[in-house]
């Protein structure tokens, strides 16, 4: 089955760190760019970060310098390292596989990150 | 940053009616626009890409039109499962952005 499954969310204090994982299966992970998109409670979608097949990366301005996207090709896993977290980072974080160029055709169920003291 | 403005915020319609959703871009994005559907508690689903192309498995009642700055998603005859929130997204440049969404609710 073609799927991506996120994990690693949870409750973290302001200023803390968290690493999200996204396990991919059913497709050739190396052939696809991947992305993270988040959704704050009751709000719309916000693109967070992307990694191309060549490993180059892009970030939204709101997370630049605090978040790092990476991947482990041997484990077919995408990561998002999140540092210096604030309440504004509270959201469900979705991992998504690209469909064509920078559209998102396969999404996980998401993992909830809550930043609160 | 390209801002995508969706209207209306909420659309109240009955099953069988036609739904017309708008997405306006603050800059020319060519045809580099997609539409997604999201139901409560679920991840988004890609419906339309490159403004007019249906993604794999998407029913023909969904269609997209437009180019440059003005785009439309049309649902020709609403089915009960179509009541959801719809988002547009551009890929014309970085950062990628989404519109604020249009909720299609049952009247």
């Amino acid at each position: 089955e073609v799927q991506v499954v996120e994990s690693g969310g949870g409750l973290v204090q302001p200023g803390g760190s968290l690493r999200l994982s996204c396990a991919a299966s059913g497709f050739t992970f190396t052939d696809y760019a991947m992305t993270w998109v988040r959704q704050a409670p009751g709000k719309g979608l916000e693109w967070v970060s992307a990694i191309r097949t060549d490993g180059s990366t892009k970030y939204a301005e709101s997370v630049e310098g605090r978040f790092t996207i990476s991947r482990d090709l041997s484990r077919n896993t995408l990561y998002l390292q999140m540092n210096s977290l604030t309440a504004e980072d509270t959201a469900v974080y979705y991992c998504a596989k690209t469909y064509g160029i920078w559209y998102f055709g396969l999404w996980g169920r998401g993992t909830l990150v809550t930043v609160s003291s | 940053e390209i801002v995508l403005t969706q209207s209306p915020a909420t659309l109240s319609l009955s099953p069988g009616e036609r739904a017309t959703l708008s997405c306006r871009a603050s800059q020319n994005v060519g045809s580099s626009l997609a539409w997604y559907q999201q139901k409560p508690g679920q991840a988004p689903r890609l419906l339309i890409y490159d403004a007019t192309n249906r993604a794999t498995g998407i029913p023909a009642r969904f269609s997209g039109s437009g180019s440059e700055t003005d785009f439309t998603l049309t649902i020709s005859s609403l089915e009960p499962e179509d009541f959801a929130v719809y988002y547009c997204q551009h890929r014309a440049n970085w950062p990628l952005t989404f519109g604020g969404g249009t909720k299609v609710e049952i009247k």
Side-chain angles (χ1 to χ4, degrees):
Chain A
E1 182 184 2
V2 180
Q3 63 177 357
V4 292
V5 179
E6 304 92 338
S7 61
L11 176 64
V12 60
Q13 292 190 339
S17 298
L18 209 57
R19 188 178 81 158
L20 306 183
S21 299
C22 169
S25 58
F27 63 95
T28 304
F29 187 60
T30 53
D31 287 351
Y32 292 90
M34 300 289 293
T35 196
W36 290 96
V37 174
R38 68 185 180 184
Q39 187 168 36
K43 303 297 185 182
L45 302 171
E46 181 188 15
W47 172 75
V48 172
S49 182
I51 187 165
R52 296 186 178 96
T53 54
D54 65 2
S56 59
T57 59
K58 291 287 189 182
Y59 298 93
E61 185 176 349
S62 59
V63 306
E64 181 88 55
R66 300 187 300 123
F67 289 12
T68 302
I69 190 171
S70 63
R71 59 187 183 171
D72 184 333
L73 298 179
S74 67
R75 296 177 182 269
N76 286 351
T77 301
L78 178 73
Y79 299 104
L80 186 67
Q81 176 67 44
M82 305 185 296
N83 299 330
S84 303
L85 287 161
T86 73
E88 287 66 44
D89 297 315
T90 294
V92 172
Y93 284 72
Y94 294 102
C95 160
K97 165 183 166 288
T98 52
Y99 185 102
I101 301 174
W102 300 123
Y103 299 126
F104 310 119
L106 177 69
W107 298 65
R109 299 183 68 174
T111 187
L112 176 62
V113 173
T114 303
V115 184
S116 175
S117 55
Chain B
E1 173 176 318
I2 295 175
V3 176
L4 298 178
T5 302
Q6 292 188 241
S7 61
T10 304
L11 199 52
S12 299
L13 295 168
S14 301
E17 289 194 294
R18 182 183 189 91
T20 304
L21 288 66
S22 173
C23 176
R24 179 161 291 179
S26 61
Q27 302 173 33
N28 185 344
V29 300
S31 295
S32 296
L33 190 107
W35 291 92
Y36 299 84
Q37 176 194 67
Q38 187 179 33
K39 298 178 182 179
Q42 296 185 17
R45 177 174 72 143
L46 177 66
L47 300 175
I48 301 289
Y49 66 96
D50 287 346
T52 62
N53 298 307
R54 276 189 301 277
T56 304
I58 301 303
R61 64 181 181 272
F62 292 92
S63 64
S65 63
S67 64
E68 298 188 358
T69 60
D70 287 291
F71 300 87
T72 300
L73 173 69
T74 301
I75 311 170
S76 59
S77 179
L78 283 163
E79 297 287 340
E81 62 267 29
D82 298 337
F83 291 92
V85 180
Y86 294 82
Y87 295 95
C88 56
Q89 174 239 327
H90 84 83
R91 65 171 182 91
N93 57 25
W94 301 98
L96 309 177
T97 57
F98 291 87
T102 290
K103 181 179 182 180
V104 178
E105 65 175 23
I106 299 176
K107 185 174 181 180

